[in-house]
Amino acid sequence: MTALFAQLLNGLDKGAAYALIALGLTLVFGTLGVVNFAHGALFMLGAFCAVTFRYLLTIEVVTTDPTQLSPWGQPLQVRTPIIQDWLGDWGAVIVDYSVPLSVLLAIPVMAAIGIAMERGLIRHFYKRTHAEQILVTFGLAIVIGEVVKTFYGPNPYPQPIPSDLRGTADIGAWFGLAPHILTYPIWRLVYLLFSLGVIGGVFAFLRFTTFGMVVRAGMADREAVGFLGIDIDRRFTIVFGLAAAVAGVAGAMYTPLLPPNYNMGMDFLVISFVVVVVGGMGSLPGAVLAGFLLGILQSFASMTEVKTLIPGIDQVIIYLAAVAVLLLRPRGLLGRRGVMES
Amino acid sequence: MSKLVMNRRKLIRTLGIGGATALAAPSFFTRGAWAQQFCNSPEVSGKIIFGFNVPQTGSYAEEGMEQLNGYMLAVKHINGEGDGGLLNTLKPVALKGNGVLGRKVEFVTGDTQTNTDAARDGARRMIERDGAVMVTGSVTSGEAIAQQSLAQEMGVIYMSGLTHSNDTTGKDKRRYGFRHFFMAHQSGIAIAPFLAQEYGTDRRAYHLTADYTWGWTQEESIKAATEALGWETVATIRTPLGLGDYSQYLTPVLNSGADVLILNHYGHDMVNSLPQAVQFGLRDRQANGKNFEIVVPMFSELMAVGAGDAVRGIIGTSNWQWSLEDEGTKAFTKSYGEAYGAPPSQSAHTGYVQAILYADAVERAGTFYPPEVIKALEGFEFDGMGNGPTLYRAEDHQCMKEVLVVRGNENPASRFEVLDVIGKTPREEVTYDPAIFGGELGPYEPNQCA
């Protein structure tokens, strides 16, 4: 039973990442009608915001300690991050918390990248077919990946979990079980809570703000909103920036779980599109629901007992589920009538 | 006006000088009697080119870059630059610090991408396009096995880099392939007594294994060694090479009934899997009334640095460690540290040693002709390279030397001191019958590559 619960948590954790990426994809599709294959690259760029932030924080000042020798017999070089040199223990704490703090960098940077991407390229393809949109955004994803590879190299950059958030939470004990029966890494719980917070924040933003109300109205009937004298295009551009920022913070916070490299966006993109399709094209709640459901399904399929029964099932379960859902509900779980239906 | 007068005596003298000069010219590369034509013969090309083919990208890139550093340092020392490094400690040594057979060595490099096919393609390119007379380098056994098979086909000697699979000098051994690095079977022999001493003989082990030749043979060897101690194997689960998130593989361990997790992972795989295992609280757990333990049968300095605090107290085996006290290790650590600002890893060490051993074998053979170089390496007994007295065994081209048992340093005094050597298993104990792994070396006679 505890094994099932642990797998459930794993699934929620993985599903949270899927849901965050799919949420951004659906936002862009629902507002601009663009199938954005470069969205995975935005997730990757967010992860590299965390890498860059840590790099900046750990620029070191090198001093020589003549009282100690290096293993090769020269005076030992002592390296101290400049920020630690300036701020002492507080500097060390900031370096330690570089990943969560990098979200502060990722939000404006990614929003700016998203807006630039929409204004510079995507808007020229609004009236093109979905196939053409896919081609151009896929090409853009490759370009972004190669640019990152040029600057950062092809190898992954492991990012540390803040020392206070390492280790495990004894979840079993919270429910009265004996100690260590059901434990789960604290950072994975943090990521899950963070994702739920971001998802809740996006929904609240769209639900309870005037801006959100206009955007929802624009999603329902773009022309009618335009007739009311509202510049809906400008708002949709901001939504594109918002979607990029959501993907970015998802990527930044995921770095301790998966060391980022230039290609990581592609791995998530394919699954996230399946998530969007299963959830229902254009449905924000559908994207979130499908993200979590498919994450959980994938996690259960990777249990030893299941894999012994059906070897390799964990690699294909998401696609099998997508086939099943599309056969039974062609519009996806919460898909709206008329979306992507000509 | 001078007049050319050619009498019989002058004619004989002129012919004698001319003949001697003509005879001496090719012997620059062939001191012995082997002037045969062979693939990329320096006698024909006029150049001695070594091919360094290592992963510079992918899961094992860090180890590959270190290995490349080792190779480049070896070339410097062979060519008489720098402090000479292990040429000062190798016994016996034929190299004089003036290149190989009197000519400077050049090199080309390649990126195997931690991928078997790319490694093989890269090695082929080095041989066919760049004219490499010897190819060396690997960090996965898949790369090494693929390259040494190619080497046999093309008649160019391949000195493997880091490869730990039993198959490399077992069922897939080749006459043209040589391995200095130790192997999984030896890891099993070396680590078993320490596991029994530290964790007892009543344990239940769960293996997570990288899904390729090295992982399979290490799992097999460690499973055999631990079961011989009395341990039970609960499960052996294969994980894809290059996986980042191991959560789906670690969660089942928690309730499997196992009390030891054995990670048959290397490079980035281990750098990811070990900290994640610790994140999942495995080392804080009790199972079957005992502390849960994690074992990494083969690990390196670089992996230990990458895994950070998670590596503390973890037991494994290693081919070499810079903190050893012998003269060879001290010399190499000094040379490497001065060149690159950090102590060398075992990957750098094995690469360096392989390049030196090949060059020395050519010098001793007096030719680059592969069959003679192979014979010079086969059965070669040497010392002073940091691993104690070592034999390049003729039967399978496996180096026989002591194996180190290491543990993640609990209290490192500096950022370099991440591993402690807790034991050395003598060469006699890790020497095995080469017949147990089968395989055929193949013929000496080289093929013509072009």
Side-chain angles (χ1 to χ4, degrees):
Chain A
M1 191 61 198
T2 52
L4 284 175
F5 197 73
Q7 287 293 3
L8 177 69
L9 286 170
N10 260 345
L12 287 171
D13 207 49
K14 203 172 283 264
Y18 296 159
L20 278 178
I21 302 175
L23 184 67
L25 268 174
T26 307
L27 261 179
V28 170
F29 181 75
T31 52
L32 303 170
V34 172
V35 183
N36 182 17
F37 260 66
H39 202 73
L42 296 174
F43 180 80
M44 177 267 291
L45 284 177
F48 274 91
C49 281
V51 173
T52 308
F53 191 66
R54 184 168 180 82
Y55 173 79
L56 294 173
L57 287 179
T58 52
I59 292 173
E60 295 169 327
V61 57
V62 180
T63 53
T64 303
D65 182 355
T67 62
Q68 293 187 66
L69 290 179
S70 68
W72 53 96
Q74 291 175 337
L76 189 68
Q77 288 188 329
V78 181
R79 296 166 183 273
T80 315
I82 289 174
I83 194 164
Q84 199 172 329
D85 210 31
W86 288 347
L87 303 176
D89 290 346
W90 277 106
V93 171
I94 290 171
V95 172
D96 192 26
Y97 275 80
S98 67
V99 169
L101 289 174
S102 70
V103 168
L104 301 175
L105 175 73
I107 291 172
V109 168
M110 294 307 300
I113 288 174
I115 289 169
M117 189 191 287
E118 196 273 339
R119 288 288 87 189
L121 183 72
I122 305 289
R123 74 187 174 101
H124 300 296
F125 289 84
Y126 286 157
K127 293 192 168 59
R128 301 289 190 92
T129 63
H130 287 309
E132 287 172 315
Q133 292 172 354
I134 288 171
L135 281 176
V136 77
T137 52
F138 192 69
L140 180 63
I142 293 171
V143 169
I144 293 173
E146 290 302 312
V147 169
V148 169
K149 188 178 170 186
T150 303
F151 283 99
Y152 292 88
N155 295 314
Y157 286 81
Q159 298 297 299
I161 296 172
S163 45
D164 295 335
L165 302 176
R166 289 174 197 163
T168 54
D170 197 344
I171 297 173
W174 299 349
F175 296 99
L177 297 174
H180 301 300
I181 293 293
L182 178 59
T183 57
Y184 202 68
I186 294 172
W187 182 258
R188 288 175 185 271
L189 290 175
V190 168
Y191 189 80
L192 180 58
L193 293 173
F194 173 80
S195 303
L196 292 174
V198 171
I199 291 166
V202 170
F203 275 94
F205 179 70
L206 291 174
R207 180 85 189 151
F208 300 116
T209 65
T210 311
F211 183 94
M213 188 181 69
V214 171
V215 168
R216 279 188 293 124
M219 287 169 78
D221 192 334
R222 184 186 185 123
E223 284 188 353
V225 174
F227 290 149
L228 296 173
I230 296 170
D231 184 357
I232 193 68
D233 286 349
R234 190 166 151 268
R235 282 169 172 76
F236 281 178
T237 301
I238 294 171
V239 169
F240 200 102
L242 174 69
V246 168
V249 296
M253 289 290 280
Y254 207 70
T255 51
L257 303 181
L258 183 65
N261 66 48
Y262 73 98
N263 204 36
M264 75 185 294
M266 288 293 180
D267 300 337
F268 277 87
L269 180 76
V270 176
I271 291 177
S272 298
F273 261 99
V274 176
V275 169
V276 170
V277 171
V278 169
M281 296 296 284
S283 167
L284 293 175
V288 174
L289 178 68
F292 281 111
L293 280 179
L294 292 183
I296 292 166
L297 204 57
Q298 193 180 31
S299 184
F300 283 136
S302 65
M303 291 178 75
T304 311
E305 295 82 355
V306 180
K307 282 197 294 192
T308 309
L309 212 60
I310 315 172
I313 184 68
D314 54 324
Q315 305 294 319
V316 295
I317 187 69
I318 282 187
Y319 306 102
L320 289 177
V323 169
V325 167
L326 291 179
L327 282 174
L328 296 172
R329 289 182 64 86
R331 291 194 191 99
L333 294 175
L334 302 177
R336 287 180 293 144
R337 184 185 295 273
V339 178
M340 286 289 275
E341 290 172 350
S342 54
Chain B
M1 189 176 165
S2 66
K3 215 169 140 184
L4 178 64
V5 178
M6 179 66 75
N7 59 28
R8 187 168 57 95
R9 186 163 299 192
K10 276 186 179 172
L11 177 68
I12 290 170
R13 195 168 60 198
T14 306
L15 288 175
I17 293 168
T21 308
L23 286 172
S27 72
F28 187 69
F29 287 117
T30 53
R31 266 203 331 254
W34 305 280
Q36 296 92 332
Q37 292 298 301
F38 53 91
C39 189
N40 296 332
S41 166
E43 189 185 337
V44 175
S45 67
K47 287 181 176 178
I48 302 169
I49 295 171
F50 290 177
F52 301 144
N53 202 23
V54 299
Q56 299 178 44
T57 56
S59 294
Y60 298 166
E62 277 187 323
E63 304 273 348
M65 296 303 289
E66 280 269 325
Q67 204 171 99
L68 188 57
N69 285 345
Y71 286 131
M72 292 190 294
L73 192 62
V75 168
K76 275 188 182 172
H77 292 167
I78 291 168
N79 287 342
E81 299 165 29
D83 61 9
L86 291 183
L87 294 190
N88 300 318
T89 59
L90 173 62
K91 291 185 182 105
V93 63
L95 289 168
K96 302 175 189 70
N98 62 345
V100 181
L101 300 181
R103 172 161 288 208
K104 303 286 185 193
V105 171
E106 300 169 44
F107 63 88
V108 292
T109 65
D111 178 12
T112 67
Q113 303 167 29
T114 321
N115 176 291
T116 302
D117 291 337
R120 190 181 168 93
D121 291 346
R124 183 182 291 279
R125 202 162 45 245
M126 287 174 171
I127 295 167
E128 290 182 343
R129 188 190 68 188
D130 302 325
V133 69
M134 181 273 288
V135 176
T136 179
S138 61
V139 184
T140 77
S141 294
E143 294 170 350
I145 290 169
Q147 290 185 83
Q148 71 181 13
S149 295
L150 178 78
Q152 183 80 32
E153 287 168 23
M154 303 193 80
V156 169
I157 290 176
Y158 171 70
M159 307 294 284
S160 60
L162 199 154
T163 162
H164 190 242
S165 169
N166 294 337
D167 293 346
T168 310
T169 46
K171 75 177 179 58
D172 295 316
K173 66 189 168 208
R174 292 288 182 273
R175 182 71 64 191
Y176 278 69
F178 288 85
R179 171 160 67 178
H180 168 261
F181 208 71
F182 72 140
M183 38 90 85
H185 179 69
Q186 294 176 318
S187 280
I189 296 170
I191 202 172
F194 288 86
L195 294 180
Q197 182 188 317
E198 296 284 330
Y199 306 140
T201 54
D202 179 23
R203 284 282 185 170
R204 306 189 75 216
Y206 191 110
H207 289 251
L208 288 181
T209 302
D211 196 7
Y212 73 103
T213 173
W214 166 69
W216 306 330
T217 65
Q218 175 162 297
E219 178 191 285
E220 183 184 74
S221 295
I222 301 300
K223 186 167 170 273
T226 52
E227 287 179 354
L229 292 176
W231 289 24
E232 183 188 343
T233 304
V234 175
T236 52
I237 303 295
R238 304 285 162 84
T239 60
L241 182 64
L243 191 68
D245 183 359
Y246 285 85
S247 59
Q248 67 191 54
Y249 293 97
L250 289 168
T251 313
V253 180
L254 298 171
N255 299 290
S256 63
D259 46 42
V260 177
L261 171 64
I262 297 178
L263 289 174
N264 298 306
H265 290 153
Y266 196 74
H268 284 154
D269 289 350
M270 180 271 191
V271 168
N272 289 327
S273 66
L274 177 59
Q276 287 176 28
V278 174
Q279 279 173 29
F280 268 84
L282 288 178
R283 297 193 76 190
D284 304 324
R285 289 174 72 82
Q286 289 267 315
N288 309 323
K290 308 175 187 79
N291 288 334
F292 198 103
E293 303 291 350
I294 302 175
V295 176
V296 180
M298 210 271 277
F299 72 106
S300 73
E301 184 92 3
L302 292 174
M303 287 157 57
V305 170
D309 293 345
V311 85
R312 293 184 181 186
I314 302 284
I315 292 178
T317 59
S318 211
N319 190 59
W320 176 83
Q321 168 68 11
W322 64 264
S323 58
L324 293 171
E325 289 293 322
D326 62 282
E327 290 308 310
T329 296
K330 284 182 190 168
F332 185 56
T333 302
K334 181 173 178 295
S335 294
Y336 190 95
E338 286 175 357
Y340 301 111
S345 67
Q346 61 175 353
S347 183
H349 175 255
T350 203
Y352 177 95
V353 170
Q354 285 283 70
I356 296 285
L357 287 178
Y358 171 80
D360 189 71
V362 172
E363 196 77 30
R364 281 185 287 115
T367 176
F368 282 92
Y369 184 55
E372 298 306 324
V373 180
I374 290 169
K375 285 172 192 163
L377 281 167
E378 286 178 339
F380 181 48
E381 179 88 41
F382 60 94
D383 198 357
M385 298 293 255
N387 300 106
T390 304
L391 168 69
Y392 235 133
R393 195 159 66 173
E395 292 84 352
D396 57 359
H397 294 188
Q398 173 66 51
C399 266
M400 288 297 149
K401 54 191 171 15
E402 65 190 15
V403 172
L404 304 182
V405 180
V406 294
R407 176 164 30 207
N409 197 335
E410 299 275 12
N411 299 299
S414 79
R415 65 194 166 99
F416 303 120
E417 295 171 22
V418 289
L419 291 180
D420 280 335
V421 177
I422 59 172
K424 291 180 188 174
T425 306
R427 170 173 143 185
E428 300 72 40
E429 287 182 30
V430 295
T431 297
Y432 56 90
D433 177 2
I436 63 175
F437 292 111
E440 288 288 333
L441 282 173
Y444 283 98
E445 287 309 309
N447 294 321
Q448 284 293 329
C449 63

